[in-house]
Amino acid sequence: MTFFKADKLAIHFGGVKAVDGVDFEIEEGEIFTIIGPNGAGKTTIFNLISRIYEPTEGKLIFNDEDITNTAPHLIAGRGIARTFQNIELFEQATVLQNLLIGRHAHRSGTLLANIFFLPSTRRAELAHREEVEKVIEFLDLARYRDQRIANLPYGVRKVVELGRALCTEPKLLLLDEPSSGLNVEETSDMAFWIKDIRDLLGISVLMVEHDMSLVNRVSDRVLALNYGRVLTLGSPSEVQSNEEVIRAYLGG
Amino acid sequence: MRFVFKTRYEQDLRLWRHNGDLIGYGIFLAALLALPIFAGVYYVGEANLWLIYSIAAMGLMIAVGFTGMASLGHSAFLGIGAYTHAYLLQNGVPFLVSLPLGGLLAGAIGVAVGLPTLRMHGIYLAIATLAVALITQEVMSKWSSVTGGFDGLPVAAPDFLSIQPEAMYQGEWFSVGGLHVGWVELWSPVSLYYICIAVLVLAALIARNLLRSPTGRAFVAIRDSEISAQSMGIHLAYYKTTAFGISAFVTGLAGGLFAHQISHLAPDAFNIFISIELLLICVVGGIGTIQGAVLGAAFLIMLRSFIPIMRDEVTAGAGGVEFLAGLVRFVNSPGLEAAIFGALLVLFIIFEPMGLYGRWLKVKTYFDLFPLYKKSTFARQKSYVKTERLR
Ligand SMILES: Nc1ncnc2c1ncn2[C@@H]1O[C@H](COP(=O)(O)OP(=O)(O)OP(=O)(O)O)[C@@H](O)[C@H]1O
Ligand SMILES: [Mg+2]
């Protein structure tokens, strides 16, 4: 069975070949990292998987199903959640509300049941709240629960965004630069969480990351990308000693 | 300093935040209910206008404040509600049926408008909805067989309930102060007043229920970030259309009440200026809050009665003075209201983006924290810039 597979994935913006025939496969339970210099096409791959961009070519397979033509809002329900490089939280809402929106894919009940807040809606809300509280506990967010995102520091926002993705109960979690903008201590927390997410929650992780020490600590396999093409794929140490990768980073 | 202790998750699902809030709302409602006992018919009429604008703005708030969709088309939904209700009443449909039907038709047209236009954002959406307002007004004046065209449509008084402030009654069940509740076939502003309160409470409940359930959260998510809303599984087109439909429905309900308030419908009563007034209410009251609609409407109604008073004062005081002739001409210029409203809209957006309700919350916090309040309590942290927003 195929857990996740990108097959000759490509997208061209006019003349720019942002992603140009990328193949890779992720095993269930793996922490898989994509590295590459700025503009290599890493975020674009995430946007393709989220179905925000339409691929020019290629296929996406998840859990043996072709998701290349799935509508973007159905991706979360299939079990793929993501975070964003520049944090896309719901700024005017509280942490709790943000996390509850993460439960959207699991909602039930009709519009009318919501409008009249029928007992069924109340029960469902309480059940969602239980799930959200588990994530709050896991990420130690309790003291920020009722704060609006707009009032939170950057580091906490990063964690909230991770929490929101976890609330969708994904099978595959996409993290776009989870450590960018974090200080050393926050980065090390993040590393523990990423490991725990895989080890305790059994969620596979696809991550884009620049911080090599974090990559080394958590990744099982690393894929190096440049100009939308795969340079190499292998264990963290293999990839870092690869000639082409070194040249790409030094700009040679 | 107030700490709200919560011991059960249900506490976050309540309609109010803590008991202090509940008492506050209770007193407010009691004062509303008692108003006609003390106030004369003129003030009850003004209060009606306030309540109707509150309801209509609450409708608009669902689109603008919750979902982030600008609309200049809500004068049309107010009008559709008003005309439908008046037409059905005239044809013998009972009040309690025709009022919701007016809302439903407005909602249905809201959905129909929503489907093709909701891919647009900001100013483009505003222009598209503006077109809807203008077209609707055109239909009102041309479709004479139903709307009465330019002659207008008289609004029949419903006769299922009568509440009188003065002793113009045939018989009464009871009276409180100067208020007589009885069975006279006379419809008065006070009857309308109590119906407005009931509808306002209903509209507030709808809005609040939405906000504490997945549907309203999806609206808010779309407002704050469409791209991540989508990644969380929110179907943008569906929720935007739903929001616009519910928004139009609530404003349509207000339209039915508005029909009784003005008692004779003409296309002119539903011009684009009404849309701007409703938008002003939302912004001044506090965008995205339910309470803001009520506060903003109070502000607007007071402003509207203040402008003519000021105009008379200035004209009387400076009328004879040569060098003040320009000022007199200025305060008597026909577009003055629109200019003032427009300027207020801009000023509030720049200087008080959370509106009057936001200001009220800040004042409350100030007293809660009293000696410890510091200026930066409400300063927004801008610790990063968004560079790569897709939308
Ligand atoms: N919507 C778009 N339209 C046009 N070009 C785009 C678009 N999105 C991405 N690109 C281009 O595709 C290339 C890859 O961008 P991408 O954001 O994927 O880089 P990245 O690897 O995530 O870089 P970084 O490390 O800076 O985040 C860039 O040259 C970018 O300009
Ligand atoms: Mg990127």
Side-chain angles (χ1 to χ4, degrees):
Chain A
M1 107 143 217
T2 316
F3 178 65
F4 178 86
K5 183 173 174 192
D7 190 13
K8 300 198 186 60
L9 197 59
I11 183 170
H12 302 171
F13 299 107
V16 181
K17 296 182 174 175
V19 175
D20 196 17
V22 168
D23 287 295
F24 64 95
E25 214 169 310
I26 304 172
E27 311 265 308
E28 192 156 11
E30 191 172 28
I31 299 181
F32 189 99
T33 304
I34 301 178
I35 62 166
N38 293 116
K42 305 178 297 290
T43 300
T44 307
I45 290 181
F46 274 25
N47 287 341
L48 284 166
I49 299 174
S50 309
R51 300 279 304 111
I52 295 167
Y53 291 159
E54 215 46 62
T56 318
E57 236 179 277
K59 270 202 296 196
L60 292 164
I61 312 285
F62 181 62
N63 265 338
D64 282 335
E65 274 179 79
D66 188 340
I67 56 163
T68 325
N69 295 308
T70 306
H73 69 274
L74 297 178
I75 292 294
R78 293 290 174 92
I80 302 182
R82 73 173 289 186
T83 65
F84 293 84
Q85 185 167 355
N86 290 308
I87 304 189
E88 287 282 346
L89 284 167
F90 308 116
E91 292 228 355
Q92 300 306 321
T94 64
V95 170
L96 183 61
Q97 286 165 338
N98 269 272
L99 297 181
L100 281 168
I101 293 169
R103 300 291 306 162
H104 189 87
H106 301 276
R107 83 205 174 284
S108 56
T110 60
L111 174 64
L112 283 181
N114 281 186
I115 287 182
F116 296 111
F117 209 73
L118 297 182
S120 60
T121 303
R122 179 180 294 272
R123 270 196 308 276
E125 281 301 295
L126 288 173
H128 288 317
R129 181 66 190 271
E130 299 259 1
E131 293 300 321
V132 164
E133 287 296 329
K134 285 182 199 160
V135 172
I136 288 181
E137 166 121 2
F138 181 72
L139 296 177
D140 200 13
L141 282 169
R143 83 195 106 137
Y144 303 111
R145 196 187 278 120
D146 290 323
Q147 297 221 28
R148 269 149 51 104
I149 302 298
N151 299 328
L152 291 178
Y154 187 88
V156 181
R157 293 186 200 205
K158 274 280 221 251
V159 181
V160 175
E161 209 191 19
L162 176 64
R164 187 182 63 181
L166 287 180
C167 284
T168 68
E169 293 181 37
K171 297 189 199 83
L172 175 64
L173 181 61
L174 315 184
L175 302 175
D176 200 345
E177 305 201 6
S179 82
S180 73
L182 299 186
N183 63 30
V184 179
E185 194 184 338
E186 289 168 334
T187 305
S188 116
D189 281 349
M190 189 56 86
F192 280 114
W193 277 323
I194 293 173
K195 268 195 163 330
D196 281 355
I197 284 169
R198 193 261 311 268
D199 297 342
L200 301 179
L201 307 179
I203 297 169
S204 315
V205 178
L206 169 60
M207 168 172 97
V208 165
E209 185 52 65
H210 281 300
D211 181 336
M212 282 327 252
S213 68
L214 177 65
V215 172
N216 287 333
R217 267 171 79 182
V218 303
S219 317
D220 296 316
R221 284 195 298 161
V222 177
L223 180 146
L225 199 70
N226 199 16
Y227 297 116
R229 288 175 164 279
V230 177
L231 290 182
T232 181
L233 171 68
S235 73
S237 55
E238 276 166 27
V239 170
Q240 276 172 75
S241 53
N242 181 291
E243 291 278 312
E244 267 188 281
V245 174
I246 295 170
R247 220 174 313 128
Y249 270 93
L250 295 177
Chain B
M1 172 97 215
R2 184 197 296 279
F3 289 102
V4 181
F5 288 108
K6 294 177 190 157
T7 49
R8 290 173 309 136
Y9 296 149
E10 273 124 76
Q11 282 171 286
D12 277 331
L13 294 179
R14 291 187 311 199
L15 292 172
W16 55 90
R17 272 170 311 184
H18 46 77
N19 289 341
D21 261 11
L22 180 61
I23 294 169
Y25 291 134
I27 292 175
F28 177 67
L29 194 62
L32 273 189
L33 290 173
L35 178 98
I37 301 174
F38 310 105
V41 175
Y42 169 77
Y43 289 102
V44 173
E46 288 291 292
N48 283 345
L49 206 53
W50 165 47
L51 294 173
I52 292 166
Y53 268 83
S54 301
I55 299 162
M58 224 174 261
L60 181 60
M61 195 68 97
I62 292 171
V64 175
F66 295 180
T67 326
M69 295 184 293
S71 168
L72 286 173
H74 272 59
S75 59
F77 303 128
L78 193 78
I80 292 164
Y83 270 100
T84 311
H85 176 60
Y87 181 78
L88 292 176
L89 267 188
Q90 204 180 42
N91 289 286
V93 178
F95 182 96
L96 286 179
V97 177
S98 67
L99 187 71
L101 279 180
L104 283 176
L105 185 64
I109 291 177
V111 169
V113 170
L115 285 174
T117 52
L118 295 183
R119 278 179 185 281
M120 304 177 196
H121 293 282
I123 187 78
Y124 302 103
L125 182 58
I127 292 170
T129 49
L130 172 67
V132 172
L134 297 178
I135 292 168
T136 307
Q137 227 187 329
E138 200 63 18
V139 171
M140 286 170 186
S141 50
K142 296 279 156 65
W143 194 12
S144 319
S145 57
V146 172
T147 65
F150 283 114
D151 295 337
L153 187 68
V155 183
D159 53 8
F160 70 95
L161 178 69
S162 132
I163 303 169
Q164 295 292 322
E166 285 110 20
M168 299 163 51
Y169 54 97
Q170 293 169 347
E172 65 181 18
W173 291 313
F174 62 88
S175 66
V176 193
L179 189 70
H180 302 266
V181 178
W183 60 87
V184 80
E185 301 253 316
L186 245 183
W187 171 257
S188 83
V190 183
S191 324
L192 181 59
Y193 178 79
Y194 284 107
I195 293 170
C196 286
I197 291 180
V199 177
L200 178 69
V201 170
L202 182 80
L205 270 178
I206 290 178
R208 177 73 186 115
N209 282 345
L210 280 174
L211 281 187
R212 58 179 175 156
S213 65
T215 307
R217 278 200 301 268
F219 295 170
V220 172
I222 290 172
R223 177 191 69 193
D224 284 357
S225 168
E226 286 195 3
I227 182 162
S228 61
Q230 206 172 29
S231 309
M232 293 297 121
I234 293 167
H235 189 338
L236 297 183
Y238 171 80
Y239 281 99
K240 285 180 163 190
T241 315
T242 306
F244 214 69
I246 298 176
S247 169
F249 167 75
V250 173
T251 303
L253 280 185
L257 302 172
F258 190 63
H260 291 293
Q261 174 73 6
I262 61 179
S263 76
H264 189 94
L265 301 181
D268 229 23
F270 303 99
N271 57 33
I272 165 78
F273 194 58
I274 303 261
S275 294
I276 294 172
E277 284 182 327
L278 292 178
L279 209 55
L280 180 71
I281 292 176
C282 290
V283 170
V284 167
I287 207 91
T289 64
I290 300 169
Q291 297 89 336
V294 180
L295 275 178
F299 178 86
L300 180 89
I301 300 299
M302 283 194 259
L303 185 69
R304 275 206 335 194
S305 45
F306 172 75
I307 290 176
I309 294 173
M310 174 210 70
R311 178 176 289 154
D312 292 348
E313 291 285 318
V314 171
T315 313
V321 189
E322 192 60 41
F323 69 93
L324 287 177
L327 178 68
V328 174
R329 221 172 323 119
F330 175 73
V331 297
N332 284 299
S333 50
L336 183 68
E337 261 112 344
I340 292 180
F341 290 180
L344 275 173
L345 204 59
V346 173
L347 288 176
F348 262 88
I349 288 172
I350 295 174
F351 295 110
E352 192 77 290
M354 306 297 289
L356 294 175
Y357 186 64
R359 173 56 50 189
W360 159 245
L361 288 182
K362 285 178 194 172
V363 170
K364 259 200 340 195
T365 312
Y366 177 82
F367 284 109
D368 273 354
L369 293 175
F370 171 57
L372 302 174
Y373 179 86
K374 58 183 192 302
K375 248 195 139 153
S376 60
T377 305
F378 291 101
R380 216 185 123 195
Q381 293 222 20
K382 273 220 182 77
S383 44
Y384 70 102
V385 264
K386 285 208 155 123
T387 50
E388 209 196 10
R389 301 212 52 165
L390 287 153
R391 167 56 242 155

